[in-house]
Amino acid sequence: MDQEKRQSIARAERAASTVLRDHGVHGTPINAVKLAEALGYDVYQATFKDGAISGGVNFQKNGGRIYLNQNDSPTRQRFTLAHEIGHCVLHRDKHENGILERIDMFRDPENHSQEEVEANAFAANLLMPEQLVREMWKRWGSTEILADIFKVSLSAMSYRLYNLHLKGDW
Ligand SMILES: [Zn+2]
């Protein structure tokens, strides 16, 4: 990965930390719905004709509406929500018509545009803040327990631990 990309990921992670701090959202699990609402976005569940859509955001004058595919698992919906909040914070200006999110933005980071990579980095740091993850990993040392504490999927937790060099593989 080149340096410019690494910097934009670091920027996205910092933006997530800043948003959590500015809105006084802390502890586990992170209340992503409350955070979205504090930023002016209402959160709705929806069904899509195309089941490969995991959600989206419709921007309005101030804030907007975030939609989550109600057929997805709760942890998946949570990650989608955090990812959409990332787009709202980082990329809103580039998408005046809103964003529709096709699947597996998480599993396949290599296939995605830089914006998707940034939104995923934002989401990971929002739902699994680095310092908290480090503390909990020290205390519990279990991917399963941390996934439960942070209310994320096992694969998201595993990947986060790998990214923070706490685990050798995922
Ligand atoms: Zn996206």
Side-chain angles (χ1 to χ4, degrees):
M1 199 185 303
D2 63 38
Q3 186 170 356
E4 196 180 318
K5 283 188 176 167
R6 254 199 295 275
Q7 282 173 350
S8 84
I9 289 172
R11 217 168 22 243
E13 289 179 343
R14 279 198 304 277
S17 307
T18 303
V19 156
L20 288 174
R21 199 186 54 226
D22 287 355
H23 294 276
V25 176
H26 46 72
T28 55
I30 293 294
N31 189 336
V33 173
K34 183 181 155 194
L35 184 66
E37 288 171 353
L39 292 167
Y41 296 87
D42 291 321
V43 181
Y44 299 87
Q45 288 180 310
T47 51
F48 297 90
K49 183 162 61 89
D50 179 350
I53 302 290
S54 47
V57 52
N58 184 16
F59 295 123
Q60 291 168 328
K61 196 164 174 222
N62 296 305
R65 291 164 184 253
I66 294 173
Y67 299 98
L68 306 172
N69 188 333
Q70 64 184 18
N71 295 318
D72 284 346
S73 70
T75 53
R76 176 69 178 269
Q77 290 185 47
R78 239 169 98 65
F79 200 89
T80 302
L81 172 56
H83 177 105
E84 296 314 312
I85 295 172
H87 282 312
C88 294
V89 169
L90 301 167
H91 310 129
R92 181 181 170 122
D93 296 347
K94 296 175 198 156
H95 299 274
E96 56 184 66
N97 293 322
I99 296 169
L100 203 55
E101 209 72 59
R102 290 193 62 83
I103 45 154
D104 257 349
M105 44 203 202
F106 176 71
R107 275 308 198 114
D108 243 350
E110 303 302 326
N111 291 340
H112 297 303
S113 70
Q114 189 59 17
E115 277 193 9
E116 293 312 293
V117 173
E118 288 172 16
N120 281 340
F122 181 100
N125 204 41
L126 193 81
L127 298 179
M128 299 168 279
E130 178 172 351
Q131 203 191 326
L132 266 177
V133 169
R134 289 186 184 282
E135 277 172 31
M136 294 297 162
W137 180 249
K138 211 170 153 188
R139 183 178 307 169
W140 300 101
S142 159
T143 310
E144 289 78 7
I145 293 177
L146 264 66
D148 187 44
I149 288 172
F150 289 96
K151 299 284 175 247
V152 296
S153 69
L154 257 185
S155 61
M157 194 70 245
S158 203
Y159 188 61
R160 180 68 169 150
L161 291 167
Y162 165 79
N163 252 336
L164 293 173
H165 307 294
L166 295 171
K167 255 177 71 170
D169 56 57
W170 68 291

